[in-house]
Amino acid sequence: MKRMPARPDNVHQATLLRLLRDGGRSRAELGDDVALSRSKLNLELDRLIETGLVEPAGLAASRGGRRSGMVRLSPQIRFACIDIGATSVDVAVTNGELEILGHMSEPSEVREGPAVVLGRAMDLLGKLREQGLYTQLHGAGIGVPGPVSFREGVPFAPPIMPGWDRYPVKEAVSQELGCPAMVDNDVNLMALGELHAGLARQVDDFLLIKIGTGVGCGIVIDGKIYRGVSGSAGDIGHMRVDDQGPVCTCGNTGCLEAYFSGAALAREAVRIAPRSPYLAERIALGMRPTAQDVAVAATMGDPAALQLIRDGGRHVGQVLAGLVSFFNPGLVIIAGGVARLGHVLLAEIRSVVYRRSLPLATGNLPIVLSELGDTAGVIGGARLISDHVFSAA
Amino acid sequence: MKRMPARPDNVHQATLLRLLRDGGRSRAELGDDVALSRSKLNLELDRLIETGLVEPAGLAASRGGRRSGMVRLSPQIRFACIDIGATSVDVAVTNGELEILGHMSEPSEVREGPAVVLGRAMDLLGKLREQGLYTQLHGAGIGVPGPVSFREGVPFAPPIMPGWDRYPVKEAVSQELGCPAMVDNDVNLMALGELHAGLARQVDDFLLIKIGTGVGCGIVIDGKIYRGVSGSAGDIGHMRVDDQGPVCTCGNTGCLEAYFSGAALAREAVRIAPRSPYLAERIALGMRPTAQDVAVAATMGDPAALQLIRDGGRHVGQVLAGLVSFFNPGLVIIAGGVARLGHVLLAEIRSVVYRRSLPLATGNLPIVLSELGDTAGVIGGARLISDHVFSAA
């Protein structure tokens, strides 16, 4: 196992590193943001420079007196992100400021198990290393499409991830890459990505609804992910729409996911194909229609496909309306593959929420589509692990 | 306006006051719980003794060396609580340790408006003063049955409180009583009561579901009330059970409150009376049957009344099951007048939640009936205002 990279010694150094994560600045500017004497601030910065995490970067413009020295995170800092989806794996490498230096994505079935999927992620990371994007990593953030016991860094009874239950993902990746690692649910990662670089940058309390193969929700309270007492908070895919609906994989009827998700859309696509020339053609060509095909059909103005999306939006809206009344968030972001069905979906969700939620809760509530797309998860992974690495050891 | 009573000078004094709120103790024991040097601790305690908030209380038993001095909150500290319900008003006076010294309750219709209802509360408090329970108050905590703009201390567009919208409750009570006042939603007050003295004493993240005239939810995260961005979090009465249900006062159909609440039960009682000898008798006597009458009928084994309670429990359970999946709490407490329907109701709620929520979220989840009853709200009121008074000014 390789030597672990440096970590801050104390909470002041950790605060300085997190401030520098948002960009290099002068010692004087840092002094404005932390409650430290000038001598103590300089002492801590000098210690961080000794560890190699921070480096001097010339002189700042004068603010009236002597010019202050600029500092920034070492350009050598590298974080890896592994975002494992139900049917894909994304890996990326960022610098200390969480800018993506390289990003690769491949189709990958999570049900093939941890050895295969993590092996593929390591291969992709190896390619990024061969491109010269990193030599040593300072940490790795990992997302998986299921519930996670956050402290141990292991998936916990994940329904769509056979073979992953309690698999030591955090430990395995940490050993393999020789750096600290953290594992979280993929939806929480997306919420962290939005908090760091997306529409939620200025918002303390928000919900991110991911509609992909399944449906999940990331909950941010006071700028931090809320995980609940056993780490399953936000698992809304099996919230009840009604009792008469389709049977769900969980055994209940009328769950949100049974009504609307990538999987449900693909199933419904077959059902409406007789009324949809585009979907009928796909099937005639021997292809199994997907949620993406429904989106294409809708874009072509196909009424049956449009109706499917509207119905889905209504069901998401019915569940979300209750959550908005309950949680009174400052922002709702809709994300995930199915969210790319776009404004027809958004309009329907908005219409139900604004009609059914408490007026006090919706008065100033924006409901928006994510603008980060596929990068939300990997930026969130970098944010997760950098929050950990940039904290006092 | 009378002179306001003393407040702590700094955060250390505030911490000491909150520790002493849980009971008097020795200086040595306090030293174990705060990160202060012995001399600094004694300095802050001496200052608190000067203000009259704390007093010496003899010597503690020896812990091996010199006997440490006991200190306790001044027995003169008094908090008032005013818990305004839809159809009742409760007032109480507590000491600094939030023990109830006197508690009075009267029927009172909140829709008679703030002048009448607050006037009645002041009369009741006056009676407690005449009994010698207080001369000066250190603060007053107030609960109202509707949404509150917490910072301003005013009800905000409360649906069942005509005449109260933006009425300056906090300011009016503060002026009248000559002490600081805080206003919150009555359900949040009950949750604070449970946190302070009820089943939630050791629980950081929990939900309190109040089923009274309406239905509401108090959300505690990390030992604090979560209010949401506009203060309406927890307002679950209008969460959707389904689209086909009864029309609600809010204009939508199938809201939880339209299915099950004190008001809904009273309405249903008339409907089932032909099949319920007890309810039929009440009506024959010219009385309008209430939720309480349904409870009595159920206790007498009346199948129609029992079925009504079971149906209600099922609907509460359907909404709660989703909230448990979403929020993953450590405890759910069922409280409020209708909760006194007791174990038939609880059994039905549990059955739906344990069947429909995510297994990971219900694995260690107790769902219990409140044991505090009517005192939860007033203890919560004392807790609310003491948290404020025992904080640095």
Side-chain angles (χ1 to χ4, degrees), chain B residues 2-243:
Chain B
K2 300 176 201 161
R3 196 175 56 85
M4 289 279 176
R7 290 276 295 276
D9 276 342
N10 59 40
V11 67
H12 303 305
Q13 292 179 14
T15 304
L16 291 169
L17 290 171
R18 289 186 192 204
L19 284 169
L20 291 172
R21 183 172 62 185
D22 289 332
R25 62 192 74 186
S26 72
R27 289 174 184 246
E29 285 167 327
L30 283 171
D32 297 343
D33 287 337
V34 293
L36 289 177
S37 68
R38 212 157 95 182
S39 59
K40 177 84 174 142
L41 171 68
N42 283 325
L43 180 74
E44 299 297 357
L45 281 173
D46 292 343
R47 282 199 192 138
L48 284 171
I49 291 171
E50 271 168 45
T51 63
L53 287 168
V54 168
E55 65 172 38
L59 289 179
S62 170
R63 299 205 301 183
R66 206 145 59 90
R67 289 169 68 197
S68 176
M70 292 286 290
V71 284
R72 65 176 177 201
L73 291 181
S74 161
Q76 310 304 324
I77 296 177
R78 291 291 179 274
F79 294 116
C81 325
I82 302 173
D83 186 11
I84 299 166
T87 59
S88 65
V89 59
D90 280 61
V91 305
V93 169
T94 76
N95 61 12
E97 288 156 1
L98 313 194
E99 291 162 345
I100 295 176
L101 305 179
H103 182 179
M104 302 185 79
S105 185
E106 270 191 10
S108 161
E109 296 291 330
V110 75
R111 61 170 180 262
E112 291 182 39
V116 172
V117 175
L118 290 176
R120 191 156 305 154
M122 292 303 146
D123 289 348
L124 291 174
L125 271 177
K127 286 184 191 165
L128 293 177
R129 188 176 49 199
E130 282 161 25
Q131 291 171 22
L133 291 186
Y134 71 94
T135 48
Q136 191 185 13
L137 291 168
H138 287 70
I142 306 142
V144 298
V148 167
S149 173
F150 184 67
R151 212 169 306 169
E152 290 91 41
V154 302
F156 193 88
I160 62 164
M161 299 172 65
W164 289 79
D165 190 19
R166 293 167 216 235
Y167 185 85
V169 175
K170 170 172 149 170
E171 211 179 295
V173 171
S174 175
Q175 292 236 355
E176 184 71 24
L177 297 176
C179 64
M182 300 286 275
V183 185
D184 205 343
N185 176 269
D186 60 344
V187 185
N188 287 346
L189 243 56
M190 293 178 79
L192 279 174
E194 296 288 346
L195 181 69
H196 186 81
L199 295 162
R201 280 211 66 152
Q202 312 297 330
V203 185
D204 280 342
D205 302 315
F206 73 92
L207 298 180
L208 175 130
I209 309 285
K210 178 190 172 184
I211 314 171
T213 305
V215 182
C217 177
I219 307 170
V220 173
I221 298 178
D222 213 10
K224 286 190 286 288
I225 293 288
Y226 174 80
R227 294 188 172 83
V229 294
S230 45
S232 73
D235 208 330
I236 63 169
H238 302 281
M239 280 181 71
R240 168 186 169 279
V241 173
D242 59 38
D243 292 329

